[in-house]
Amino acid sequence: MSKIAYTSLEELYSLFQAHSVITTDTRHCPEGSLFFALRGERFDGNAFALQALQAGCAFAVVDDPDVGGDERLLHVPDVLTTLQQLAALHRRTLGTPIVQITGTNGKTTTKELTAAVLARKFDLLCTQGNFNNHIGVPKTLLQLRPHHQMAVIETGANHPGEIALLTDLVQPECGLITNVGMAHLEGFGSFEGVMRTKGELYDYLRHKPGGFIFLHADNEHLCRMAGSLPAVRYGLPGHDCYTEGEVLDCTPFLRLRFRTQGGAWHEVQTHLIGAYNVANVLAAAAVGAHFGVPDVDIAEALAAYEPTNNRSEWMRTQRNELIVDAYNANPTSMKAALDNFALIAHDHKMAILGEMRELGTASDEAHRAVAAQAASLHCEEVWLVGEAFRAHAAGARWFPSVAEVKAALEAEGAPTGRLILVKGSNGTRLFELPGVL
């Protein structure tokens, strides 16, 4: 067999400029697009490269030397690495100013709030959904176009070094860490591991000329991590912040006021559940104000934003009111959700809590603490879902999975007239419950 002639990054970038739509899924092959044959635990995109070409792709990037039979196959040493290198090259070529956002909790909400604010002034590219990993980030960067004036890129991680990798791709001018908390401990090893990994964004900006951060001044962990990094500070009044604000009400939707550099106060009635969201709102306000969005436009954008994708969504069914926060859960976010639930006045409360994943050796104690906090709320009922809660379900009702919850609701009938908190890790699939509650 003759030696494979690899396509260089420069050659590929030239093709990308003529065929700028990227796909990794043969179910979505727009005419003239570039197919990247990624490998996964259960699939190998190389096996579908010819199918992608038949479906309309102009070229297919592959790394299996045995794939052949079409001159439109572009061979590279590693498809994923090439995708990432192509994204970094494209980002450098355009030079679009980028705000990078990461954190344990609230990063997607903060990203969407920030994007809503900046879009009042700029032609903006923003991470869609939760495309915040080693594949989603490069695919987002490759959507940058010359007309984009700014971009807001979200990055996530569950292992050390991941934020460093993604930051090298994003090459941000500035960054924002929402918070650091107890999550993905199975991968990070400890809370200190979480801080080191999230702090890789700060490490990058320390060495970038002109690099700076947006800093939550009320978070002692972030302040310590930031050190002497140039920072635009936001937080509660009295902390010498560029943008400051405070909660006015939260029954159940957050109402707050904010101001920039000691100017006029602006009151905002949000569609967000939870006083803990005040930090996310102030972060977006600080970013917007720094980049010249008028406070009035900031307030309007924040008020108009409505959360989706099971992130602190308020829903009304035929029988109940629901607070659905079933996209993710860890000890930090679970405590915040339960603290907030305790503050909401309602005569008939109920909590359905799903187990928290990827906590390693901290899992048992974390689930014990959540179960104890839920019991202290004096809800009419607490339902705990998942094996990790089994040993801590005294006084509550325990279910091994969401399937048994749905079976019980069908057999016994759904509760009526309740305010129900539904929160758990995405893997517990509690997002299936609103349709039956």
Side-chain angles (χ1 to χ4, degrees):
M1 185 178 185
S2 61
K3 185 177 180 181
I4 293 292
Y6 287 136
T7 302
S8 71
L9 186 63
E10 291 71 22
E11 290 172 320
L12 183 58
Y13 190 55
S14 179
L15 289 172
F16 168 74
Q17 289 175 314
H19 304 276
S20 57
V21 176
I22 299 296
T23 182
T24 57
D25 188 343
T26 54
R27 295 169 298 183
H28 178 67
C29 292
E31 194 69 29
S33 58
L34 290 179
F35 176 74
F36 280 75
L38 296 175
R39 300 173 186 261
E41 291 182 6
R42 300 180 183 87
F43 66 89
D44 181 354
N46 288 276
F48 303 97
L50 293 175
Q51 180 182 332
L53 294 174
Q54 294 168 358
C57 291
F59 296 92
V61 183
V62 298
D63 54 16
D64 184 344
D66 294 328
V67 175
D70 196 304
E71 61 184 11
R72 296 172 296 167
L73 293 169
L74 308 175
H75 286 85
V76 298
D78 182 271
V79 171
L80 175 59
T81 300
T82 299
L83 177 68
Q84 293 170 342
Q85 292 173 339
L86 183 69
L89 173 59
H90 182 55
R91 186 270 180 274
R92 285 195 302 274
T93 301
L94 291 184
T96 310
I98 294 180
V99 182
Q100 181 176 334
I101 296 176
T102 190
T104 300
N105 301 306
K107 56 184 173 290
T108 299
T109 298
T110 300
K111 174 260 299 183
E112 292 184 352
L113 288 166
T114 301
V117 167
L118 291 176
R120 293 288 172 131
K121 180 178 179 180
F122 300 100
D123 188 333
L124 190 79
L125 176 70
C126 172
T127 300
Q128 297 302 303
N130 65 326
F131 275 32
N132 62 12
N133 65 7
H134 61 296
I135 296 172
V137 169
K139 288 175 74 173
T140 299
L141 291 172
L142 288 167
Q143 294 174 21
L144 280 169
R145 299 293 179 264
H147 62 81
H148 288 128
Q149 297 170 297
M150 284 194 73
V152 178
I153 304 296
E154 176 186 340
T155 52
N158 55 22
H159 287 87
E162 284 188 282
I163 294 300
L165 167 68
L166 297 176
T167 304
D168 284 342
L169 302 182
V170 175
Q171 305 156 66
E173 279 67 31
C174 55
L176 190 157
I177 302 177
T178 57
N179 51 51
V180 285
M182 302 278 285
H184 302 298
L185 297 184
E186 207 166 56
F188 292 127
S190 65
F191 178 59
E192 290 71 25
V194 175
M195 289 196 292
R196 282 194 299 271
T197 301
K198 301 300 182 183
E200 289 164 359
L201 174 56
Y202 287 176
D203 295 339
Y204 175 92
L205 291 167
R206 277 191 184 91
H207 298 97
K208 176 154 188 169
F212 67 97
I213 62 172
F214 293 91
L215 177 63
H216 184 198
D218 305 313
N219 189 306
E220 60 182 22
H221 296 301
L222 294 179
C223 290
R224 187 168 65 252
M225 291 163 58
S228 60
L229 249 175
V232 176
R233 294 162 58 90
Y234 62 91
L236 299 175
H239 287 182
D240 189 29
C241 291
Y242 173 75
T243 297
E244 62 182 4
E246 58 191 356
V247 175
L248 299 176
D249 187 33
C250 199
T251 54
F253 296 109
L254 171 64
R255 183 167 62 89
L256 75 156
R257 64 175 188 166
F258 77 92
R259 65 179 178 180
T260 301
Q261 293 185 312
W265 287 102
H266 295 268
E267 188 172 314
V268 181
Q269 176 63 64
T270 77
H271 296 277
L272 297 163
I273 300 284
Y276 51 83
N277 271 306
V278 68
N280 302 331
V281 173
L282 292 178
V287 175
H290 176 80
F291 287 108
V293 181
D295 281 357
V296 172
D297 288 344
I298 292 173
E300 289 179 355
L302 296 172
Y305 171 73
E306 296 191 34
T308 56
N309 298 327
N310 300 307
R311 288 181 170 89
S312 296
E313 284 188 78
W314 183 87
M315 302 179 184
R316 185 189 294 276
T317 69
Q318 290 183 340
R319 295 174 290 270
N320 300 290
E321 297 172 89
L322 312 180
I323 299 172
V324 182
D325 195 356
Y327 182 79
N328 205 356
N330 54 60
T332 307
S333 67
M334 192 72 89
K335 182 179 185 305
L338 290 170
D339 285 344
N340 185 74
F341 196 52
L343 297 175
I344 301 174
H346 197 284
D347 292 334
H348 305 287
K349 289 185 183 180
M350 177 178 180
I352 303 177
L353 307 177
E355 66 182 0
M356 302 169 286
R357 303 287 175 86
E358 299 181 40
L359 293 180
T361 57
S363 180
D364 189 64
E365 172 56 26
H367 285 88
R368 184 205 63 75
V370 168
Q373 184 181 2
S376 73
L377 298 183
H378 305 296
C379 295
E380 292 186 348
E381 288 187 85
V382 174
W383 291 7
L384 302 175
V385 184
E387 191 62 35
F389 273 126
R390 181 198 286 265
H392 309 294
R397 188 171 178 183
W398 177 78
F399 300 85
S401 72
V402 75
E404 284 77 14
V405 176
K406 292 165 73 175
L409 290 170
E410 183 176 354
E412 304 165 18
T416 301
R418 304 277 182 88
L419 175 65
I420 307 176
L421 172 65
V422 181
K423 182 166 179 63
S425 287
N426 192 51
T428 61
R429 304 188 67 82
L430 296 192
F431 55 81
E432 297 180 3
L433 293 181
V436 293
L437 287 171

